[in-house]
Amino acid sequence: MEGSSCFVFPQGFLGPSESVRHAHQRVVLDLCYDFCNQTKVVQKPIVVTLDPIFTQYKEISSSYMDDHMNTDNAWMEVLAATVHDNQNIMSPAFKTGSGVEEILWFAVTERPDIHPNMVPLLRKTLTMLKSYNPYNSTDDTSQETGSELSVDRVCGE
């Protein structure tokens, strides 16, 4: 999130007449591969390579989310989804998009430094995937494996 030094999930807005799945794919491509600044020749193989990941698209949450842009008359309704890359299709050679300082994959074995607004989404995602969840005190904390997660660090202060 702008002005934050915490990690956040990739996020963006839904375009007019755009499907939710397509919006999520566009946001990931723009933020993680600087897609909108690539030529069509460069874009096509990226889309072909990543499309199988987005066929496993699962909605996590569709609800209100606290955000600094909310007002009494307008607020953020967020539709969060997960795409799980079980086959390591996504290239770790990310090319950061506009406003993104850093993109990382990391194992969730302890509580990462993510923005507080993202914690409920991470908790729900890890529970849905039946993964080790450091945010759930009833989980067995001796579990050794973590889930891989893509987050981006936005430009800090």
Side-chain angles (χ1 to χ4, degrees), residues 89-100:
I89 293 171
M90 284 189 83
S91 167
F94 296 117
K95 183 175 181 178
T96 59
S98 177
V100 178

Side-chain angles (χ1 to χ4, degrees), residues 95-117:
K95 183 175 181 178
T96 59
S98 177
V100 178
E101 183 181 306
E102 182 179 19
I103 302 168
L104 298 173
W105 285 106
F106 62 88
V108 180
T109 55
E110 51 189 62
R111 292 181 182 204
D113 183 21
I114 64 171
H115 194 280
N117 288 357

